[in-house]
């Protein structure tokens, strides 16, 4: 192998033991792709490769990474929109025959399956930073810093002062896309215990908002922290959150209803979040 298959927004170079994905930097290219630049994906990290019909005269070559093989996809946890999937290559139908050839070749080289015991795809490199609604988050490879914004941080966060979390003390990262209601990045301690608090009150969390914590900045950040945590070895299982106080759930649904009536939350966002809150009872 070693040939290149160019599609919309990316080109895949096929090698004997990996696929090198180079993303374009055009104005129409998803910003996440531009932020990633290029990624080398070992074949050992892939579980499956498919080719399916796309929209308006296109076909879609899609690779599926093994669980636990790519920190970016672990952090995303299925929240990426289809157009921002870094393992998806859209091609004009004129290249379908060529794409079928590469898919068949790749399938013959995939020998691993199931969860990976370590990350096989490199994480974005530190140092990194991004601006959330209530803080500036930075990561130097060994520690995460949250510097609160006096215009966005809750009084609890502001009064508690800026925070620093070393990788050695972390057990994981929770990323909730800024494209949905209550998007946030939460750092999970190794000795997780007790009931989780809302992200806007949690000093181990930063919250997103319109223009704050965009996917192309906050997701690579989350992946870099997650990879650093996992590189230290196995971490204790994080217990499921305890059942919430019904009174607290009722209050949050009431507040959600106010946002909905004010036009700050769409009908879909209201329905989805209300169902999530009720599921916590």
């Amino acid at each position: 192998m070693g040939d290149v298959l160019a599609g919309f927004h990316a080109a895949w170079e096929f090698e004997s033991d990996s696929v090198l994905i180079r993303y374009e930097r055009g104005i129409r290219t998803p910003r996440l792709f531009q932020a990633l630049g290029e990624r080398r994906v070992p074949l050992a990290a892939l579980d499956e490769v498919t080719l399916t019909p796309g929209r308006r005269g296109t076909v879609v070559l899609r690779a599926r990474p093994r669980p636990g093989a790519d920190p970016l996809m672990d952090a995303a946890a299925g929240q990426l929109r289809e157009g921002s999937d870094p393992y998806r290559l859209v091609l004009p139908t004129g290249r379908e025959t060529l794409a079928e050839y590469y898919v068949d070749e790749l399938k013959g080289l995939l020998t691993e399956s199931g969860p990976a015991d370590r990350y096989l795809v490199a994480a974005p490199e530190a140092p990194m930073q991004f601006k959330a609604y209530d803080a500036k988050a930075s990561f130097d490879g060994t520690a995460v810093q949250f510097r609160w914004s006096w215009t966005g941080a809750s009084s609890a966060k502001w009064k508690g002062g800026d925070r620093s979390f070393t990788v050695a003390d972390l057990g994981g990262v929770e990323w909730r896309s800024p494209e949905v209601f209550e998007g946030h990045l939460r750092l999970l301690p190794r000795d997780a215990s007790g009931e989780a608090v809302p992200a806007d009150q949690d000093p181990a969390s930063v919250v997103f908002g319109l223009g704050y914590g965009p996917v192309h900045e906050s997701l690579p950040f989350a992946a870099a922290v997650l990879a650093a945590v996992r590189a230290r070895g196995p971490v204790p299982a994080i217990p499921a959150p305890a059942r919430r106080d019904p009174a607290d759930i009722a209050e949050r649904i009431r507040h959600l209803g106010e946002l909905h009536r004010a036009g700050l939350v769409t009908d879909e966002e209201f329905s989805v979040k209300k169902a999530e809150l009720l599921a916590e009872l």
Side-chain angles (χ1 to χ4, degrees), residues 218-234:
S218 61
L219 179 56
F221 184 103
V225 177
L226 188 61
V229 170
R230 186 164 176 181
R232 296 186 60 87

Side-chain angles (χ1 to χ4, degrees), residues 12 54 89:
W12 289 21
L89 180 65

Side-chain angles (χ1 to χ4, degrees), residues 3 11 13 27 42 84 88 96 104 108 117 119 139 146 152 169 187 204 210 214-215 234 239-240 245 251-252:
D3 296 331
E13 181 175 349
I27 191 172
S84 295
R88 182 173 177 268
E96 181 175 6
D104 289 340
D117 60 1
Y119 285 135
F139 178 53
F146 291 160
D169 293 331
L187 303 177
L210 186 61
V215 172
D245 182 351
E251 175 60 22
R252 298 197 68 192

Side-chain angles (χ1 to χ4, degrees), residues 5 35-36 41-42 53-54 56 61 63 76 87 97 100 107 120 138 159 161 165 177 191 205 227 238-239 271 279:
L5 183 61
L36 294 175
V41 181
R56 293 176 289 186
L61 191 162
Y87 286 90
T97 300
E100 288 177 342
K107 286 181 177 179
L120 301 172
S138 60
K159 291 178 181 178
F165 305 85
S177 174
D191 56 348
S205 302
I238 299 171
S271 298

Side-chain angles (χ1 to χ4, degrees), residues 229-281:
V229 170
R230 186 164 176 181
R232 296 186 60 87
V235 297
I238 299 171
R243 292 288 183 179
R244 300 287 291 274
D245 182 351
D248 176 57
I249 294 294
E251 175 60 22
R252 298 197 68 192
I253 290 177
R254 183 193 66 76
H255 178 61
L256 182 65
E258 292 177 351
L259 295 175
H260 181 237
R261 288 189 293 274
L264 300 176
V265 175
T266 66
D267 292 344
E268 182 180 1
E269 289 173 334
F270 175 76
S271 298
V272 170
K273 186 58 185 176
K274 181 178 179 181
E276 290 178 356
L277 290 170
L278 290 174
E280 295 181 23
L281 290 173

